[in-house]
Amino acid sequence: GENVEQHPSTLSVQEGDSAVIKCTYSDSASNYFPWYKQELGKRPQLIIDIRSNVGEKKDQRIAVTLNKTAKHFSLHITETQPEDSAVYFCAAISGGGADGLTFGKGTHLIIQP
Amino acid sequence: SQTIHQWPATLVQPVGSPLSLECTVEGTSNPNLYWYRQAAGRGLQLLFYSIGIGQISSEVPQNLSASRPQDRQFILSSKKLLLSDSGFYLCAWSVEWGEEPLHFGNGTRLTVT
């Protein structure tokens, strides 16, 4: 099955600086890579996703890059703001999608004022 | 549009008592349904998934069980709760057979005392 590793587990950045979270995956057949943001006590919510036919995708301050050869993908947040503080999960899907996503263990992003 | 409902939001149960958490999805047919647990931290652990009525796959052996009596209804149960069952339980759905994101319910905070 798929195995997703996520780093770092905690990331503290100054407000206005950029944050980068990295994930690696094991199944070369994986084709879909979403990122979720979870605020304290709330449900995870999709913030951006990328498919294997694309190397980069951007949505305002958030971007995701994918390197299929190296089997890693990254989340980039620019001009960080206090409301970006949350736990972020990467995920990958394999096996045709029926058995769901495999998640990384999460990154606690702390934005320092 | 599709919506997912999960209840109750909070539950406090004594050790040895039964459990029933319910999840329903509206606005779609034949979704893939999932139960995840998030215990004492950030990781999302897949407990069960279902690709159709009466079809349940278990990812982790434990004293929990799941059932799908109707197309858009998913139930998580236990006959006797353990202290270790405490956690944040999340129901989720995704489209049938697709590399598509998971959509989470608001979750149930279960405390076993």
Side-chain angles (χ1 to χ4, degrees):
Chain A
E2 177 66 275
N3 181 46
V4 177
E5 299 283 341
Q6 182 173 348
H7 301 279
S9 59
T10 304
L11 177 60
S12 182
V13 301
Q14 289 294 123
E15 182 178 350
D17 288 351
S18 296
V20 181
I21 302 170
K22 299 181 180 180
C23 289
T24 60
Y25 61 99
S26 60
D27 187 351
S28 57
S30 291
N31 285 322
Y32 176 67
F33 309 92
W35 285 88
Y36 289 83
K37 175 184 179 182
Q38 187 178 25
E39 297 176 358
L40 186 63
K42 297 187 177 180
R43 62 180 172 175
Q45 292 196 296
L46 180 73
I47 54 171
I48 196 167
D49 56 9
I50 192 168
R51 300 180 189 280
S52 60
N53 59 345
V54 176
E56 183 175 0
K57 183 177 179 181
K58 192 172 182 181
D59 182 3
Q60 298 181 350
R61 297 187 297 109
I62 294 173
V64 57
T65 58
L66 172 65
N67 184 328
K68 284 215 74 178
T69 302
K71 289 191 282 188
H72 68 72
F73 55 113
S74 300
L75 178 71
H76 305 255
I77 306 174
T78 59
E79 301 173 16
T80 53
Q81 300 170 3
E83 54 264 37
D84 295 330
S85 293
V87 177
Y88 291 80
F89 293 95
C90 63
I93 199 162
S94 60
D99 51 350
L101 293 165
T102 299
F103 285 88
K105 293 190 183 303
T107 296
H108 186 190
L109 176 62
I110 302 166
I111 307 302
Q112 302 278 7
Chain B
S1 64
Q2 302 90 355
T3 56
I4 179 168
H5 303 279
Q6 185 180 343
W7 67 93
T10 307
L11 191 59
V12 180
Q13 292 283 95
V15 168
S17 64
L19 172 73
S20 181
L21 303 181
E22 191 162 342
C23 172
T24 59
V25 179
E26 296 177 357
T28 187
S29 59
N30 200 24
N32 292 339
L33 295 172
Y34 311 85
W35 280 110
Y36 283 85
R37 178 169 62 196
Q38 200 170 29
R42 308 181 299 242
L44 289 160
Q45 180 187 33
L46 179 63
L47 301 176
F48 301 94
Y49 69 91
S50 171
I51 62 172
I53 296 174
Q55 300 179 66
I56 308 295
S57 296
S58 174
E59 291 294 304
V60 183
Q62 57 212 323
N63 69 317
L64 298 172
S65 62
S67 62
R68 185 170 178 173
Q70 299 180 43
D71 180 44
R72 289 168 287 177
Q73 183 185 27
F74 206 24
I75 298 171
L76 182 69
S77 303
S78 174
K79 292 182 180 178
K80 289 185 178 181
L81 285 169
L82 306 173
L83 285 174
S84 58
D85 291 325
S86 294
F88 191 45
Y89 288 81
L90 290 155
C91 181
W93 72 274
S94 67
V95 299
E96 179 191 6
W97 299 113
E99 290 153 354
E100 296 290 335
L102 286 181
H103 305 277
F104 288 92
N106 286 327
T108 296
R109 176 75 57 191
L110 172 65
T111 304
V112 182
T113 59

